[in-house]
Amino acid sequence: MTNQKSLIEFWDVQLRRIWDEGYAEKLSDYLRSLDVKTILDCAGGSGYPAIEFKKMNWDISYSDGVEGTVDFFKKKMIGAEVDIPCFYSKWEDLDGNRPETYDAVLCRGNSFISINSYIDEVLDPPSFEESYDNMKKAVKAFHNSLSPGGVLYIDIPVKEVAKPEKPYSRVDTDNKTFEDKISGSYDPLTKIRELVIDSHNLITGEKVYYKTYQYPISKEELYKLLDEAGFSKVLQSPVDEPQYMDAFVAFK
Ligand SMILES: C[S@@+](CC[C@H](N)C(=O)[O-])C[C@H]1O[C@@H](n2cnc3c(N)ncnc32)[C@H](O)[C@@H]1O
C-alpha cells in the first residue's frame, strides 16, 4: 500500500468521477442568473471549477490554504493556458489578507468539513470545539469577503455519509479503469468521522491508500453558523449535486 500520489493529485482524478461533466456549466449558469460578476474560489484545490470557469470568461480568483496545493494549481493553470489571480490563504484569515470583495465566494467540492481534517493518526488531534471555532471564523471571513448582496456557495456531505449510524463499506468501480474501496464510520462521542479510501488503478496497477479524519457538521449546524455570521437568507442550491452532497447558497 503505497501513496505514490499527493492527496491533491489523487483528488484531481477523483473529483471528475464525482461531479459530472456538465456540472461546471450548470453552476456557472446559476451564478449568472444571480447577476454574479466576480468570484473567489477559496477552496480552490486542483483548480476545479476555477479553470473551467476562466475558460467560460468568468472574472474568477483562486485561493487555497495549503501551499503545496497552490503550487499544484499553478502548474495546472500553466498547462491549461489560463491566467487566474491566485493566492495562499486559510479561510479563517481570508478577510484579513485581502482588500477585495467578490460577488460570489465558492467553498464547495466537499471542502468545508475538511477545515481541520488530518491524515493517518496524529499525536495531538484538534478537538471538535477547536474545529467548530475555526468554522465560525471561516464563515465570518466568507461573509466579510463578499460584496453587498453577494452569495456564498457552500456544501457538506449528507448525514448518511457524514455521520453514518453504522460503519459502511462499498466498492466503486467501472471494472475497467479503477476500483475504489471506501469505508466510513462516525463516533458520536468524539464527533470524528473516519474515511478510508483504498484505490486501485486497474490500468497502471497503482494503489493509493488514505485514512482521513474529519469533524462533520449537520445542515442545522451550518445554518446556525451562517446565521451568526450575518447572512440574511440561506437556500438549498438548485444546482444538481452528487446525491451524497448538500449544497447551499447564503446571501449577504
Ligand atoms: C476536497 S478539496 C476540494 C477542492 C475543490 N473545491 C474541488 O471541487 O475540487 C478541499 C480543499 O480545501 C482546502 N482547505 C481545507 N481547509 C482549508 C482552510 N482552512 N483554508 C483554506 N483552504 C482549505 C484544501 O487544501 C483542499 O484543496
Side-chain angles (χ1 to χ4, degrees):
M1 280 190 304
T2 46
N3 283 351
Q4 290 146 321
K5 284 186 172 178
S6 67
L7 194 52
I8 194 64
E9 215 180 327
F10 176 66
W11 177 251
D12 193 35
V13 177
Q14 286 291 103
L15 74 90
R16 287 163 217 279
R17 291 185 200 138
I18 304 175
W19 283 271
D20 67 51
E21 233 183 278
Y23 174 80
E25 199 164 340
K26 283 182 248 167
L27 178 60
S28 160
D29 288 348
Y30 176 58
L31 294 172
R32 293 225 191 265
S33 79
L34 296 177
D35 209 22
V36 166
K37 301 277 190 281
T38 58
I39 303 175
L40 171 67
D41 187 351
C42 72
S46 62
Y48 179 84
I51 291 175
E52 282 75 4
F53 270 35
K54 189 70 194 179
K55 289 182 176 168
M56 292 179 219
N57 288 321
W58 274 100
D59 178 347
I60 186 158
S61 300
Y62 163 109
S63 67
D64 197 277
V66 173
E67 281 173 15
T69 297
V70 180
D71 292 342
F72 181 87
F73 165 72
K74 284 182 180 165
K75 286 192 195 120
K76 274 212 80 167
M77 185 166 70
I78 293 168
E81 297 182 342
V82 290
D83 191 12
I84 299 172
C86 64
F87 58 95
Y88 159 84
S89 177
K90 293 276 182 208
W91 302 322
E92 303 87 307
D93 305 327
L94 208 49
D95 53 341
N97 273 347
R98 311 296 301 176
E100 300 90 349
T101 58
Y102 305 86
D103 298 339
V105 169
L106 310 183
C107 181
R108 50 152 306 286
N110 200 7
S111 299
F112 191 56
I113 67 159
S114 65
I115 187 162
N116 276 112
S117 67
Y118 51 100
I119 300 175
D120 302 325
E121 321 292 335
V122 295
L123 281 178
D124 191 15
S127 63
F128 174 78
E129 287 69 27
E130 209 177 318
S131 178
Y132 193 73
D133 212 47
N134 283 339
M135 286 181 176
K136 255 190 202 168
K137 287 186 196 138
V139 172
K140 189 73 200 149
F142 298 156
H143 187 268
N144 290 343
S145 303
L146 284 167
S147 314
V151 61
L152 168 69
Y153 197 98
I154 187 163
D155 64 12
I156 53 173
V158 298
K159 188 165 172 258
E160 294 71 31
V161 294
K163 299 183 181 185
E165 280 177 17
K166 282 191 274 177
Y168 67 87
S169 208
R170 65 166 201 270
V171 177
D172 285 352
T173 182
D174 62 359
N175 293 315
K176 283 187 293 218
T177 56
F178 72 97
E179 186 179 85
D180 293 348
K181 292 187 187 122
I182 296 168
S183 331
S185 61
Y186 177 70
D187 179 347
L189 287 180
T190 59
K191 302 190 177 186
I192 292 177
R193 173 207 200 197
E194 183 186 290
L195 186 70
V196 179
I197 300 172
D198 191 356
S199 174
H200 186 184
N201 184 320
L202 300 174
I203 296 175
T204 62
E206 182 186 39
K207 288 182 175 179
V208 291
Y209 177 89
Y210 297 103
K211 192 187 256 192
T212 64
Y213 301 88
Q214 297 161 329
Y215 288 109
I217 54 163
S218 63
K219 181 175 163 176
E220 291 70 29
E221 285 165 322
L222 178 62
Y223 269 64
K224 188 164 180 281
L225 287 172
L226 294 167
D227 182 53
E228 284 171 1
F231 284 93
S232 60
K233 186 170 68 166
V234 185
L235 304 173
Q236 187 99 23
S237 163
V239 179
D240 264 353
E241 293 282 345
Q243 61 180 22
Y244 57 85
M245 291 305 300
D246 256 343
F248 305 93
V249 273
F251 294 85
K252 182 161 178 170

